[in-house]
Amino acid sequence: MSALCLPPLSLYIHIPWCVRKCPYCDFNSHQRDEQLPEDDYVRALTQDLRLDSELAQGRRLTSIFFGGGTPSLFSADAIGRILEAAERIIGFEDDIEITLEANPGTFEQDKFSGFRAAGVNRLSIGIQSFADAQLKALGRIHDGAAAKRALATARRAGFDNINLDLMHGLPEQSRAAGLQDLTTAIDFGPEHISWYQLTIEPNTVFYNAPPELPGEDTLADIQDEGHDTLEAAGYRRYEVSAYARGPRARHNVNYWEFGDYLGIGAGAHGKLTLPANDEIIRQWKTRQPERYLAAWQGPGRFANPAIAGREPIEVPARGLEFLLNALRLTDGCESALFSERTGLALSALNPQWVQLQQRGLVLPKERRIGTTALGMRFLNDVLEAYTP
């Protein structure tokens, strides 16, 4: 065993409400028809963070990510108050990355300048597609024209670090339509594109009533030609579904390098390293927004009442947990991180790593924890070698 080291610390903030639940979405999101309980939720988030703050163990935040749901439904003032509380309670690194997920609807666009003034310096816009037919099939409430306006509005608001979320393999999508979406996105010049295939997840409308999706050959053509199109435009793939020709997503890279993150808000998850106890823990908060808000009613508290569960990542499982994250990175990660962030010796990866290296699927682990190009194509095979 090696000594655990404290990795960088991020903060995930969950805003659970949406205008309408999309039929493919399996996130903790809830349709809200009446006025959002914005002030109550900001107070709850602040208390949540205050009671979790000892887990920071003196670290400042390297990144913050507002996810959802639809965080852009909140006012710029509310987002600013949350950020002020986070800086006061935990503290920020000088170059902190602060990302907010936003929908392209006109209501959200009107607030982009306010979000920028509040301290958000990275905007992640959920475009999904520029084609009206595909957007309708996905249950989105914006159209292609609104998506294009959102990108222009974000630039005018002063954002110089923008991610576009874009999906392919959509219902009845042709190869040409899938590639057209990608070309349109590239033409707007975002710094980052998250480009991933639609998957049908349990507990969704699509799972119970599956749409007609493109065949395997079409999916493969879109994937291969789309990758080449992105690379030719200067976007380098650095993770399974992430391409950048500007800054990489620091918040997500911290996840993939098995860093630490606090999670506040309804259903938020966190992963924390406790070197003094030789522990790595996961904890999660009450999932239902109403119950999460109700947990904070009453006098001041010393224990966090919103914690729904906490469990350790047991020592035998740490190696696989690390690989499940780090091997998503096309370049892998520095070998030293494995021992620093799992407390395991590098030799704990043997004998499977040696066998995978002989098959040409992984790099020599003494040089880097990562796959070869072939290994990235067959990543599931690599990970299955470590699955009990």
Side-chain angles (χ1 to χ4, degrees):
M1 291 285 292
S2 301
L4 285 170
C5 298
L6 278 178
L9 180 67
S10 297
L11 172 64
Y12 175 75
I13 302 168
H14 193 72
I15 310 291
W17 293 286
C18 288
V19 174
R20 185 168 67 198
K21 179 88 170 179
C22 295
Y24 58 85
C25 178
D26 68 336
F27 296 143
N28 183 33
S29 59
H30 304 264
Q31 184 167 319
R32 181 81 179 191
D33 297 321
E34 64 252 39
Q35 185 175 358
L36 293 172
E38 190 176 84
D39 290 340
D40 289 344
Y41 200 71
V42 171
R43 284 192 291 270
L45 289 173
T46 301
Q47 295 180 77
D48 196 351
L49 186 59
R50 178 176 59 82
L51 291 176
D52 270 3
S53 60
E54 65 178 22
L55 296 170
Q57 300 166 86
R59 291 169 291 179
R60 293 176 177 268
L61 296 171
T62 63
S63 67
I64 296 175
F65 194 99
F66 288 88
T70 307
S72 54
L73 291 178
F74 269 32
S75 68
D77 175 72
I79 297 300
R81 282 184 282 145
I82 296 167
L83 291 175
E84 288 170 5
E87 185 168 23
R88 181 178 70 252
I89 295 169
I90 305 291
F92 293 173
E93 294 290 355
D94 291 340
D95 60 347
I96 187 170
E97 172 195 271
I98 302 175
T99 302
L100 184 136
E101 288 185 334
N103 273 350
T106 300
F107 175 71
E108 288 91 338
Q109 288 182 46
D110 290 343
K111 295 184 278 187
F112 284 1
S113 293
F115 293 144
R116 187 69 188 89
V120 176
N121 55 26
R122 184 175 183 268
L123 204 61
S124 181
I125 306 177
I127 300 293
Q128 312 313 350
S129 176
F130 291 95
D132 290 347
Q134 255 77 57
L135 289 168
K136 184 177 181 180
L138 291 173
R140 303 294 287 176
I141 60 174
H142 68 275
D143 59 17
K148 294 173 182 178
R149 286 196 301 271
L151 297 171
T153 302
R155 289 297 189 206
R156 288 196 301 271
F159 284 99
D160 58 6
N161 191 359
I162 296 174
N163 170 64
L164 297 189
D165 261 356
L166 201 64
M167 294 197 296
H168 60 91
L170 306 182
E172 300 183 22
Q173 186 180 53
S174 67
R175 167 192 157 279
L179 296 174
Q180 181 59 52
D181 268 348
L182 199 52
T183 301
T184 302
I186 290 169
D187 287 344
F188 279 94
E191 286 69 31
H192 193 282
I193 296 177
S194 297
W195 187 59
Y196 48 93
Q197 183 178 317
L198 171 65
T199 55
I200 307 300
E201 302 290 351
N203 302 314
T204 64
V205 172
F206 275 179
Y207 186 79
N208 294 316
E212 184 176 346
L213 299 180
E216 291 297 325
D217 289 344
T218 299
L219 292 173
D221 288 343
I222 294 174
Q223 179 68 53
D224 292 343
E225 294 184 47
H227 172 80
D228 291 344
T229 299
L230 283 160
E231 292 274 346
Y235 289 89
R236 185 172 182 275
R237 184 189 190 196
Y238 68 94
E239 187 269 342
V240 169
S241 58
Y243 293 78
R245 67 177 185 188
R248 298 181 174 191
R250 187 182 309 167
H251 188 85
N252 290 343
V253 169
N254 190 44
Y255 285 163
W256 296 323
E257 292 187 341
F258 213 48
D260 277 3
Y261 49 96
L262 293 164
I264 62 172
H269 284 238
K271 175 256 174 185
L272 289 309
T273 303
L274 306 174
N277 302 332
D278 190 31
E279 279 190 324
I280 304 172
I281 63 167
R282 295 195 188 281
Q283 69 173 24
W284 54 97
K285 305 298 172 61
T286 300
R287 182 178 176 86
Q288 290 295 326
E290 292 78 12
R291 292 182 181 179
Y292 176 82
L293 286 168
W296 299 104
Q297 303 304 311
R301 299 171 182 274
F302 298 99
N304 192 323
I307 293 176
R310 174 184 282 190
E311 63 183 15
I313 301 176
E314 302 291 354
V315 173
R318 291 180 188 176
L320 176 59
E321 290 280 344
F322 183 93
L323 295 179
L324 283 168
N325 291 279
L327 294 187
R328 292 181 62 89
L329 295 165
T330 57
D331 291 338
C333 67
E334 296 179 6
S335 298
L337 290 184
F338 180 79
S339 295
E340 291 172 5
R341 299 185 182 179
T342 66
L344 301 172
L346 198 56
S347 59
L349 292 173
N350 289 338
Q352 296 97 317
W353 197 270
V354 173
Q355 296 164 356
L356 291 167
Q357 188 178 335
Q358 290 171 346
R359 294 169 57 190
L361 298 177
V362 297
L363 302 171
K365 66 180 183 300
E366 293 75 19
R367 180 162 60 89
R368 202 158 184 82
I369 302 296
T371 67
T372 61
L374 180 64
M376 181 58 69
R377 287 182 58 194
F378 296 97
L379 185 55
N380 286 341
D381 291 348
V382 174
L383 295 172
E384 282 176 5
Y386 289 94
T387 303

